[in-house]
């Protein structure tokens, strides 16, 4: 697994919806870290895709994530799905291709956030890996109903070939060094405090 390159990356936020987010382990950490991940993606011009699982029953994207998504200036798409794996939804691959038309699946680096880690996230990650994409899962941007569900799912994804990372590591890999045009803005953003500390 190689170091992330902003020119090859996409951010995928899976099913961070109202009713689900009220049930997961450490929701404040996940919401705050994901908000920041989206802001960082905007700084480095990384396209972003948000999915919703059966929003009629589970509710729409959490207001904080929806607001961060709406504020993005970078290319972005939203996909509604019925299958647990994003890869089982035909419009998902279409959205990825629209966001990164210059890249095939084997050239993509996909940074994953979302819930629930042991259901939709793990199935999606396994599907993306099977397509040949590089996948990095931000542990601080994922959760499920109980820390053990989350922990074992992260371990399974790592064993399958995904890299477990966090939103700050993603940011510094995209920046590479302090000379990047967006580094000062990134530095200011990261100085605002650790997301979800103590929650």
């Amino acid at each position: 697994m190689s170091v992330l390159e902003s020119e090859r990356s996409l951010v995928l936020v899976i099913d961070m919806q109202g009713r689900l987010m009220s049930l997961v382990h450490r929701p404040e950490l996940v919401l705050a870290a994901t908000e920041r991940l989206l802001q960082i993606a905007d700084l480095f011009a990384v396209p972003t895709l948000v999915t919703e699982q059966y929003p009629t029953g589970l509710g729409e994207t959490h207001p904080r994530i929806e607001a961060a998504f709406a504020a993005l200036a970078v290319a972005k798409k939203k996909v509604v799905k019925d299958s647990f794996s994003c890869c089982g939804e035909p419009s998902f691959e279409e959205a990825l291709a629209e966001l990164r038309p210059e890249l095939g699946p084997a050239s993509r680096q996909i940074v994953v956030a979302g819930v629930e880690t042991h259901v939709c996230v793990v199935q999606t990650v396994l599907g993306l890996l099977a397509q040949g994409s590089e996948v990095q899962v931000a542990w601080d941007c994922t959760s499920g109903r109980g820390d053990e569900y989350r922990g074992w799912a992260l371990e399974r994804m790592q064993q399958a070939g995904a890299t477990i990372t966090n939103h700050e590591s993603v940011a510094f890999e995209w920046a590479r060094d302090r000379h990047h045009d967006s580094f000062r803005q990134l530095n200011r953003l990261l100085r605002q405090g650790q997301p979800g500390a103590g929650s």
Side-chain angles (χ1 to χ4, degrees):
M1 194 69 64
S2 54
V3 174
L4 289 170
E5 303 171 36
S6 60
E7 298 83 3
R8 294 174 53 205
S9 295
L10 298 103
V11 168
L12 171 60
V13 179
I14 302 171
D15 305 347
M16 284 199 175
Q17 293 157 253
R19 293 184 189 176
L20 289 173
M21 291 309 299
S22 66
L23 300 172
V24 302
H25 179 70
R26 297 186 75 184
E28 176 58 32
L29 168 67
V30 176
L31 287 168
T34 304
E35 284 177 308
R36 186 178 278 184
L37 177 63
L38 291 175
Q39 294 171 325
I40 292 166
D42 214 31
L43 283 180
F44 292 95
V46 174
T48 297
L49 176 57
V50 166
T51 71
E52 291 180 342
Q53 173 75 24
Y54 181 50
T56 303
L58 296 176
E60 297 181 346
T61 299
H62 190 282
R64 286 171 59 179
I65 303 305
E66 183 63 37
F69 179 71
L72 293 175
V74 73
K76 58 189 176 183
K77 299 283 289 185
K78 183 179 285 187
V79 169
V80 175
K81 64 187 181 69
D82 290 318
S83 61
F84 297 129
S85 171
C86 295
C87 299
E89 171 56 52
S91 60
F92 175 71
E93 178 56 39
E94 294 171 8
L96 290 177
E98 287 180 30
L99 290 171
R100 281 292 192 201
E102 74 281 14
L103 299 178
S107 299
R108 297 173 186 151
Q109 295 179 318
I110 301 179
V111 178
V112 176
V115 301
E116 286 187 82
T117 317
H118 65 293
V119 185
C120 295
V121 174
V122 69
Q123 290 189 34
T124 299
V125 167
L126 293 175
L128 292 170
L129 290 169
Q131 293 176 4
S133 297
E134 292 185 29
V135 183
Q136 296 207 17
V137 182
W139 70 264
D140 50 349
C141 300
T142 65
S143 194
R145 285 167 292 174
D147 195 35
E148 286 188 335
Y149 283 117
R150 170 183 163 277
W152 284 110
L154 289 170
E155 184 169 322
R156 182 182 178 191
M157 289 184 279
Q158 187 173 39
Q159 289 174 347
T163 296
I164 308 304
T165 189
N166 61 77
H167 78 279
E168 286 199 11
S169 292
V170 169
F172 283 104
E173 287 181 36
W174 285 338
R176 284 294 197 276
D177 59 48
R178 67 181 183 84
H179 301 294
H180 192 285
D181 291 344
S182 296
F183 184 75
R184 286 190 178 183
Q185 291 172 276
L186 173 64
N187 203 29
R188 285 196 295 269
L189 180 62
L190 296 180
R191 284 180 177 177
Q192 293 173 8
Q194 185 67 26
S199 56

